[in-house]
Amino acid sequence: MDTLEDIKVSIKNNPNLNDDIRNKLMELILIFKKKIPNIDLSRLNERLKTVKFGKISKFERKGTYYYDVLKNEILFSKNLEGNYDIDNLLIKAILEMTTSTATYTGFSSDEKLVALNLAYTEILANYIIGNEGDSDLEEEMLITNLLSHIIGKDTMFNSYFMNNGEPIIKAMQDAEVGLL
């Protein structure tokens, strides 16, 4: 498990970041670690060494914010219309880097879980840092909260940080069988 000191060095040595971004990332990571202390940050540390920031073109339909796991790039819409909380958007990127694999983040190993994964990332970000702005996933978060009561909050949490959607799918199948 990488220490916060290792992460600080990785951020400092990343030539793609300016000092303001470095300071903000470290501030948010400290809050994250305080709120959820037992998470392995080794993948986050590796991602922070090379992460870049970019813009979503007006022709792409990726929303206000998007973390591109393949390019290790945090992208923001060119014109952030609305009242968005930048700290909340950045903590979502930190969560996604923490749970990144070569091709996906969180438990979205199964295409059926992508929307659930996005909403769960938003729920975790709201827990860690709050959200003083707009959210594009209000309905998805409500459904995810309801599903977490059926699936089990521990199952959702562990699946997210272990990058394994199978326990969620199994829990939903078991719940469906119980309803028949």
Side-chain angles (χ1 to χ4, degrees):
M1 210 191 291
D2 290 351
T3 67
L4 291 172
E5 197 56 42
D6 295 333
I7 288 171
K8 193 175 206 176
V9 170
S10 294
I11 291 171
K12 182 181 178 194
N13 292 334
N14 183 336
N16 304 314
L17 306 176
N18 65 38
D19 286 341
D20 289 337
I21 297 288
R22 287 182 183 106
N23 292 334
K24 180 52 79 177
L25 286 172
M26 198 63 215
E27 173 189 326
L28 293 171
I29 291 165
L30 290 170
I31 294 168
F32 171 38
K33 189 68 174 163
K34 188 174 183 180
K35 285 278 197 160
I36 309 177
N38 297 322
I39 299 300
D40 180 359
L41 299 179
S42 57
R43 285 187 268 178
L44 173 63
N45 187 38
E46 283 305 309
R47 293 287 177 164
L48 287 169
K49 292 176 182 178
T50 59
V51 69
K52 295 176 276 189
F53 282 78
K55 295 188 189 272
I56 300 170
S57 92
K58 64 181 179 181
F59 300 110
E60 294 178 290
R61 295 199 172 264
K62 294 185 177 179
T64 305
Y65 145 87
Y66 179 73
Y67 173 66
D68 187 332
V69 68
L70 299 175
K71 294 179 181 176
N72 192 29
E73 189 171 22
I74 299 168
L75 304 166
F76 291 101
S77 176
K78 281 190 176 186
N79 31 343
L80 279 174
E81 294 176 15
N83 178 31
Y84 289 96
D85 184 337
I86 298 300
D87 286 355
N88 181 274
L89 297 175
L90 284 173
I91 203 73
K92 287 193 288 188
I94 290 167
L95 283 163
E96 290 184 287
M97 286 189 285
T98 302
T99 63
S100 64
T101 67
T103 56
Y104 65 92
T105 66
F107 48 67
S108 59
S109 56
D110 188 308
E111 186 110 355
K112 294 177 269 191
L113 299 175
V114 171
L116 187 69
N117 189 70
L118 289 171
Y120 194 68
T121 302
E122 181 92 10
I123 289 168
L124 287 172
N126 291 347
Y127 167 71
I128 293 167
I129 197 74
N131 189 355
E132 299 296 321
D134 296 337
S135 172
D136 297 332
L137 299 170
E138 292 293 330
E139 292 172 5
E140 290 87 345
M141 287 190 307
L142 288 170
I143 293 167
T144 300
N145 272 324
L146 291 171
L147 280 173
S148 75
H149 291 288
I150 296 167
I151 295 167
K153 291 180 181 183
D154 288 343
T155 300
M156 292 279 276
F157 184 85
N158 293 333
S159 292
Y160 186 80
F161 285 102
M162 300 296 285
N163 302 100
N164 185 1
E166 284 303 311
I168 293 171
I169 292 170
K170 183 178 178 339
M172 287 192 287
Q173 289 170 338
D174 291 349
E176 183 179 325
V177 170
L179 294 174
L180 296 176

